[in-house]
Amino acid sequence: ETYPRFDPTELTDADLDDDQLDALGAMLTDLENGVGEVDVPEAARRLRYDLCSECHRRFLRDPLAKEQRKLLHFSKN
C-alpha cells in the first residue's frame, strides 16, 4: 500500500483565514439541494498486480526498484 506524503507547503495563510465551517456548511447545503459535486482528492489508492513468481520475488526484495536503477548504464553520447 502507498500513501501520499503530507506537504506542508500546500497549506497557506489564506487557507487559515478562511472560515472552514462556513465553507463546509455551504458545501453540504449544495449537496443536499443537488447542486454541484464534491471533489475529494484520493488519499490512498489500492492497486493489484498479478506478477509471475520471479517478478514477485524481485518486487518483494526491492519494491521501489532502487537497486535496478543502479544497473542502468547510459552511453556517453
Side-chain angles (χ1 to χ4, degrees), residues 23-40:
L24 183 60
M27 184 188 321
L28 291 174
T29 301
D30 288 347
L31 286 174
E32 288 174 355
N33 296 331
V35 178
E37 290 184 12
V38 177
D39 184 26
V40 178

Side-chain angles (χ1 to χ4, degrees), residues 3-4 9-11 13 16-17 20 23 26 29 32 41-43 47 50-51 57 59 61 63 68-69 72:
Y3 299 92
T9 60
E10 290 180 8
L11 186 63
D13 289 335
L16 299 175
D17 291 339
Q20 301 299 323
T29 301
E32 288 174 355
E42 195 170 319
L47 302 171
D50 292 323
L51 304 173
R57 279 192 293 274
F59 177 78
R61 278 195 311 264
Q68 183 148 354
R69 285 186 220 141
L72 296 177

